[in-house]
Amino acid sequence: MDSGNLKYQFARLSIAEKLIAVNVFVFIINGLFTFLMGMPSNSLIQWFELPKDFVDFISQPWSLVTYSFFHGGIWHLFWNMIMLYFTGRILLNLFSPKKFISIYFLGVILGGLVFLLSYNVFPAFLSTNAALIGASAGVTAVLIFVCAYIPNQEVRLFMFNIKLWYIGAFFVIVDLIQIPSGGNAGGHLAHLGGAFLGYVYARQLLKGQDIGEGFTKMIESIEGFFKKKEKKAPMKTVYRRAKGKNVSNANYDRESKQRKIDTILDKISKSGYESLSKSEKDFLFKAGKED
């Protein structure tokens, strides 16, 4: 498979699938590099993991985001990516990829901050040497967002139908129980930070307030800064007019599609996801894939 085809296949993936692909790629490269070079397994991770000490964090502030791309083992990666895949599909049926990115990475950031603050405030952790890795905080943010936004929507779990809010409550309770009894208190604290972000984001969005709007604009400005400006070749007048007509039609189609999406989202906020007809659910699903 040539590089052009790989780029094409990657471009076809949803934003959740792209995140999964990046996480898997990082896991493989990290494992191969350290093994082939005869280095300790944490040789690369230590530059990207989130340390517990503020002084160490200040020396590598990027770790507040990069820690989420590294995992402690194959099962750590596997369960995070499985959860991200299924919850990502539900979220992307409702909202755009940009909204997904905001929820996911704000969850990563808040989860990291909760870990950092907890290990410098609570006496139980002060003498503990720890660092945070894994995508769990971002994944939990996406999960709890979905559970809080459409809490009464039922999903098939094994042989039973269960409401989403039951699933969200279960994961939060498990994390709370495991903080004092488990061996990964920092990870569970980060999960709760992500869960808090997802819950607040969803509830505020139902009230018409997008708390991640500023973050989304920041991401867009960064993209615009790095995006190369394409040089346009001179065109003949006849071709330019024809193209202008197509652009106008395309803008009309986009606006019409967005109006329909807004109408469906308003319906969800008032009556819940389960109130949608099959055609409306199908339309949201297709719109999410196209975006």
Side-chain angles (χ1 to χ4, degrees):
M1 186 180 292
D2 59 34
S3 60
N5 194 28
L6 277 174
K7 290 179 180 179
Y8 172 72
Q9 294 298 331
F10 184 78
R12 292 185 61 192
L13 299 176
S14 71
I15 187 61
E17 291 166 342
K18 287 176 180 177
L19 267 175
I20 292 170
V22 171
N23 275 276
V24 171
F25 178 77
V26 169
F27 182 80
I28 293 173
I29 292 300
N30 176 62
L32 279 176
F33 180 80
T34 53
F35 172 76
L36 294 175
M37 300 302 293
M39 302 166 66
S41 59
N42 67 336
S43 298
L44 287 181
I45 292 179
Q46 64 182 341
W47 296 103
F48 301 98
E49 67 187 6
L50 181 62
K52 58 157 281 190
D53 294 320
F54 277 115
V55 175
D56 294 334
F57 167 67
I58 292 172
S59 67
Q60 52 184 72
W62 57 83
S63 62
L64 191 58
V65 172
T66 57
Y67 81 87
S68 66
F69 291 100
F70 290 83
H71 291 80
I74 185 66
W75 292 113
H76 187 200
L77 173 72
F78 176 78
W79 290 115
N80 272 342
M81 297 304 102
I82 284 291
M83 184 74 73
L84 182 59
Y85 176 76
F86 287 109
T87 56
R89 286 184 63 182
I90 298 174
L91 196 152
L92 288 170
N93 281 341
L94 302 172
F95 297 103
S96 69
K98 290 181 179 179
K99 189 81 71 187
F100 175 91
I101 285 292
S102 293
I103 296 165
Y104 179 85
F105 281 107
L106 284 174
V108 165
I109 292 169
L110 186 58
L113 289 175
V114 169
F115 164 81
L116 194 61
L117 290 172
S118 297
Y119 273 73
N120 286 273
V121 171
F122 297 118
F125 304 128
L126 294 180
S127 60
T128 305
N129 185 24
L132 183 65
I133 57 173
S136 303
V139 174
T140 304
V142 173
L143 168 66
I144 300 302
F145 175 91
V146 170
C147 294
Y149 194 80
I150 46 175
N152 294 316
Q153 172 64 29
E154 293 187 346
V155 294
R156 190 74 172 175
L157 192 64
F158 302 111
M159 298 176 63
F160 306 96
N161 288 337
I162 185 169
K163 291 183 178 180
L164 280 172
W165 82 263
Y166 291 156
I167 297 175
F170 171 78
F171 277 96
V172 170
I173 291 171
V174 167
D175 279 317
L176 286 170
I177 292 173
Q178 290 189 314
I179 289 174
S181 60
N184 182 28
H188 295 300
L189 286 165
H191 298 175
L192 292 174
F196 179 77
L197 182 282
Y199 178 81
V200 172
Y201 202 132
R203 301 313 297 178
Q204 290 300 309
L205 201 59
L206 286 170
K207 296 177 182 178
Q209 182 179 358
D210 184 358
I211 64 173
E213 185 178 2
F215 184 81
T216 301
K217 289 180 179 178
M218 182 187 73
I219 295 297
E220 290 175 345
S221 65
I222 293 174
E223 288 177 348
F225 179 78
F226 287 103
K227 188 176 181 181
K228 294 181 179 179
K229 295 180 180 180
E230 297 180 359
K231 294 182 179 180
K232 296 182 179 180
M235 296 178 291
K236 294 181 179 179
T237 304
V238 174
Y239 177 74
R240 190 161 56 244
R241 287 175 181 169
K243 185 178 179 181
K245 184 178 180 181
N246 290 338
V247 170
S248 178
N249 290 338
N251 286 336
Y252 176 81
D253 291 340
R254 280 197 298 271
E255 291 174 0
S256 177
K257 176 182 173 183
Q258 188 58 51
R259 282 196 297 270
K260 187 172 182 180
I261 291 173
D262 291 340
T263 301
I264 294 174
L265 292 179
D266 286 340
K267 185 176 180 181
I268 291 173
S269 66
K270 293 176 181 177
S271 307
Y273 182 76
E274 62 274 11
S275 67
L276 299 184
S277 65
K278 184 179 183 303
S279 61
E280 288 171 329
K281 291 178 181 178
D282 290 340
F283 178 81
L284 274 181
F285 178 79
K286 291 177 182 178
K289 295 293 288 184
E290 289 171 0
D291 287 339

